[in-house]
Amino acid sequence: MAKKASAPKPVETLTLAQARKELTTLALQLATHDERYYQHDAPTISDADYDALRRRASEIEARFPELVTKDSPSQKVGAAPSGRFAKVAHAVPMLSLGNAFSDEDVADFVERVRRFLRLPADEMPVVVAEPKIDGLSLSLRYENGELVRGATRGDGTTGEDVTANVRTIADIPHTLKGANVPAICEVRGEVYIMTNDFIGFNKRAEKAGIQMAANPRNFAAGSLRQKDASITASRPLKFFAYAWGEMSAMPADTQFGMVAWMRRAGFVTNPLMRQCQSVEALLAFYREIAEKRASLGYDIDGVVYKIDRLDWQSRLGFVSRNPRWAIAHKFAAEQAMTVLNGIEIQVGRTGALTPVARLAPVTVGGVVVSNATLHNEDYIRAVGNDGNPIREGVDIRIGDTVVVQRAGDVIPQIVSVVLEKRPKDAKPYKFPQKCPACGSHAVREEGEAVRRCTGALVCPAQAVERLKHFVSRNAFDIDGLGDKQVQEFYEAGLVRSAADIFTLQKRDARSQTKLKDREGYGDVSIRNLFSAIDARRRIELHRLIFALGIRHVGEGNAKLLARHYGTLAAFVEAMRAAAEGQSEEGNTSEAYDDLNGIEGIGEVVADAVVEFFAEPRNIKALDDLLAEIEVLPAEQAAKDSPVSGKTVVFTGSLEKMTREEAKAMAERLGAKVSGSVSKKTDLVVAGPGAGSKLKEAEKHGVKVLSEDDWFKLIGVA
Ligand code: IVH
């Protein structure tokens, strides 16, 4: 933690001038911390310290109300920390489900229901089957159609009041739609997060060296239970409605009908939900969902079966805390215990040393797992891991028995160490100080969690990874030249640089040992490979820039650079000039200022690009490549379109274009596309289902267009 400054003066003793000065500083500090937290998920101070800053600002404002402006810290979203959440007693308890683990358990469930209801032998009750979302359940209370409270499940009887946070979730309507909305409605469902959003957060957290979330569920739970609603707002939480609590009237008399009503009322419901008429149909649904599981994009841990008729649900009632009318059919456990046989260090394209756990193979949720990510040195040593509810600061040692977890598509993780089983002679793991691939020194920059190999140009591991990146989908995207082939050609000495890819055919023609004679290849596959390579001799500028593998230059930054410089010649020329401007005191060249001034390109990126061009060996490699290919100029963004220079936000479900298309179209027209609405936003294009962003737009008085209006505006309609 940062050193504490000297104790602040008591607020009562401040003069107006002092108060004004301190408040200005506080507002700046808070804005900086907010940005680190919300936009980068990388806070640099503890919650407690942050709260203290906010409290101090509020105290000063309370004493000097004349200093309160609309930009004051207290006027921002989620200003005052709410401390503990208030308790909410659920009008109807939030119960849990009994479990079925086998086909027989499912058949037994249906049989129990039939016996209980005394259904004749030939009558099969209709059963609704749906995925069981692995999130956390939430109850939303609407009075006269307006959202009045959001509460977590808690112990089922009493939950926590998370209303302010719930209001920031786009999937949750603030007002129910439809003519006959019952005066009191409690809609219940699951808050969850898309796996990709979770992975994205963890990547940023890892880079920033801050604590990562163990799995999407924990991340969703942590995000919902934030004291500051604006943090929740910055996390892309989602919600599926599937159940209800207190209702002053029932809009339907079946489970399926109730969910259809929820959809009409404005909720998102799971599209996979289905009515089934036999045990076989339930089991077929279970298998279908199990197969789809990895591609759903969110975690599920089974399916739920519910008797469709609500009168039958009431008759069936509950046994202890579980309904007799529903059951969860769970997937096989997603955790398993195994032994850590070794730790292997992989060297990435940028020289990052990444430890990977080599495990005794074990089946986790139906998939054999033999590797798990260990992230970095600190993760193994459990440094900076305090408060991790799962690993609790315990280090990981070779020989340890560990619990491995798979969460959806996420790479398996070691979630805990079984300390009782730790071999007596197990030693703390010593992270290598040298690159295992080339022996160069591996160093950690200050404040970085990652240790990096310093042998950028001599390190074969980096070279292979760079080449894999070079041919990857968003770079050169060469058909038939994937990771495997790159590795093989590299090892065979056939492709050592990017240019080698394009001279492969020429060299092959002269060579005694032909590629087509290699194991696994033939005439056709090699001919196809050569034509795929030829097809990429003309390449868009942004793809080339991305392919170079410059640190911090992902696809987005590559596009910004391409659009700014227009042609390769202009880009290279400017970068050479900027590289020449480098000195001990920083970079004072005009070219550098121009680069750094590109909207969206910060100093870190600019420095990385200049560093790349300052290395003669990189220039040589690029020149060799350019002797083989032609780089197309970037599509210039239109300067005179009706939206050029405007900041546009797309929200809701667009019906005539995908999000990607919308973004590309707007960018082509010279607009900047943003993911969130602020007072800087010029236009919001809203499709059906638009939620909080629409509200934000209204708040800031931002113009809102329908998709059709948008097409009219840009002159396409
Ligand atoms: S129905 C009376 N449907 O599973 C119980 N629950 O083990 C009504 N869950 O606490 C719950 N997806 O958080 C139901 N499609 C779904 C579900 C689901 C996830 C969770 C829910 C509940 C837990 C019960």
Side-chain angles (χ1 to χ4, degrees), residues 95-97 130-133 136-137 153 190 242-243 304 306 318 323 325:
L95 301 176
S96 53
L97 295 167
E130 61 193 76
K132 184 168 189 300
I133 318 298
L136 62 149
S137 47
R153 177 173 182 274
E190 204 84 354
Y242 56 68
V304 184
K306 300 170 184 171
F318 294 83
W325 48 265

Side-chain angles (χ1 to χ4, degrees), residues 93-99 129-138 153 188-191 217 240-244 255 270 273 300-306 318 321-323 325-326 328 330:
M94 291 181 80
L95 301 176
S96 53
L97 295 167
N99 290 322
E130 61 193 76
K132 184 168 189 300
I133 318 298
D134 196 9
L136 62 149
S137 47
L138 182 70
R153 177 173 182 274
R188 292 176 176 176
E190 204 84 354
V191 176
R217 208 202 88 87
F240 277 130
Y242 56 68
W244 58 93
Q255 177 75 34
N270 197 301
M273 209 172 274
I300 59 172
D301 55 351
V303 302
V304 184
Y305 307 130
K306 300 170 184 171
F318 294 83
R321 301 180 63 75
N322 300 334
W325 48 265
K330 299 289 272 287

Side-chain angles (χ1 to χ4, degrees), residues 21-218:
K21 191 161 162 235
E22 189 177 341
L23 204 55
T24 312
T25 314
L26 281 168
L28 194 67
Q29 285 175 329
L30 285 164
T32 310
H33 290 307
D34 281 349
E35 188 185 315
R36 287 186 188 141
Y37 206 122
Y38 306 146
Q39 288 171 28
H40 311 295
D41 281 318
T44 51
I45 58 168
S46 70
D47 287 359
D49 288 350
Y50 177 86
D51 288 351
L53 289 179
R54 273 220 179 274
R55 229 176 2 253
R56 175 83 180 168
S58 311
E59 280 164 18
I60 296 175
E61 287 184 356
R63 181 154 172 249
F64 301 98
E66 63 271 42
L67 296 179
V68 179
T69 66
K70 73 174 193 326
D71 292 327
S72 295
S74 64
Q75 302 303 301
K76 297 254 171 80
V77 197
S82 55
R84 283 261 179 82
F85 295 100
K87 296 248 180 301
V88 179
H90 297 298
V92 174
M94 291 181 80
L95 301 176
S96 53
L97 295 167
N99 290 322
F101 293 102
S102 65
D103 293 3
E104 291 76 58
D105 290 349
V106 177
D108 287 352
F109 161 70
V110 173
E111 198 40 47
R112 267 197 312 275
V113 167
R114 291 166 42 94
R115 265 203 316 269
F116 191 95
L117 296 172
R118 293 184 202 287
L119 297 184
D122 56 351
E123 181 157 6
M124 165 71 192
V126 175
V127 182
V128 173
E130 61 193 76
K132 184 168 189 300
I133 318 298
D134 196 9
L136 62 149
S137 47
L138 182 70
S139 186
L140 302 164
R141 187 176 173 91
Y142 292 82
E143 289 176 2
N144 301 317
E146 296 298 323
L147 175 64
V148 295
R149 187 163 307 118
T152 61
R153 177 173 182 274
D155 63 4
T157 315
T158 314
E160 286 178 323
D161 186 336
V162 285
T163 313
N165 298 359
V166 155
R167 285 187 197 279
T168 69
I169 300 177
D171 286 348
I172 295 179
H174 291 194
T175 308
L176 298 185
K177 287 193 286 198
N180 296 317
V181 172
I184 292 175
C185 299
E186 276 183 15
V187 173
R188 292 176 176 176
E190 204 84 354
V191 176
Y192 67 100
I193 179 149
M194 300 301 284
T195 317
N196 274 339
D197 288 330
F198 163 74
I199 295 173
F201 172 86
N202 263 5
K203 272 200 190 133
R204 274 173 283 143
E206 181 167 18
K207 237 194 222 151
I210 58 168
Q211 192 179 329
M212 298 186 279
N215 55 47
R217 208 202 88 87
N218 281 11

Side-chain angles (χ1 to χ4, degrees), residues 352-550:
L353 268 45
T354 308
V356 177
R358 295 287 175 228
L359 305 164
V362 62
T363 307
V364 189
V367 174
V368 178
V369 168
S370 50
N371 304 321
T373 173
L374 288 170
H375 303 290
N376 57 49
E377 185 168 355
D378 287 350
Y379 184 84
I380 300 176
R381 284 169 46 206
V383 171
N385 204 28
D386 326 337
N388 178 338
I390 299 179
R391 259 195 44 229
E392 289 163 0
V394 173
D395 73 328
I396 299 173
R397 302 183 184 184
I398 295 171
D400 266 340
T401 296
V402 293
V403 176
V404 211
Q405 172 171 290
R406 268 182 67 236
D409 252 348
V410 189
I411 317 161
Q413 304 226 8
I414 290 180
V415 292
S416 63
V417 174
V418 187
L419 278 181
E420 306 83 76
K421 295 201 174 188
R422 173 167 280 175
K424 289 221 165 42
D425 56 352
K427 305 232 164 35
Y429 178 70
K430 276 213 192 86
F431 203 90
Q433 312 288 305
K434 287 208 163 117
C435 170
C438 71
S440 298
H441 242 65
V443 297
R444 263 178 87 165
E445 277 168 37
E446 210 181 301
E448 272 224 42
V450 182
R451 188 173 284 279
R452 270 176 220 285
C453 162
T454 52
L457 288 147
V458 291
C459 181
Q462 289 189 56
V464 176
E465 294 310 315
R466 272 174 190 277
L467 285 169
K468 287 181 186 168
H469 172 77
F470 186 86
V471 298
S472 66
R473 203 164 63 87
N474 295 324
F476 271 69
D477 192 19
I478 298 175
D479 263 353
L481 194 58
D483 285 3
K484 197 172 130 249
Q485 292 79 10
V486 167
Q487 184 83 40
E488 193 185 326
F489 291 173
Y490 186 90
E491 280 166 14
L494 291 166
V495 173
R496 287 279 160 103
S497 69
D500 286 351
I501 294 171
F502 293 95
T503 57
L504 194 57
Q505 186 170 12
K506 248 190 295 179
R507 285 181 287 126
D508 192 52
R510 289 197 303 260
S511 169
Q512 303 275 309
T513 50
K514 301 283 183 208
L515 275 174
K516 67 177 169 53
D517 300 327
R518 288 181 75 86
E519 171 126 7
Y521 295 88
D523 241 350
V524 179
S525 63
I526 289 299
R527 232 179 307 133
N528 286 346
L529 174 63
F530 288 153
S531 64
I533 292 174
D534 280 342
R536 287 307 196 174
R537 283 184 197 271
R538 285 163 63 83
I539 192 90
E540 294 109 306
L541 179 56
H542 69 87
R543 280 183 181 266
L544 172 79
I545 297 177
F546 175 62
L548 295 177
I550 304 171

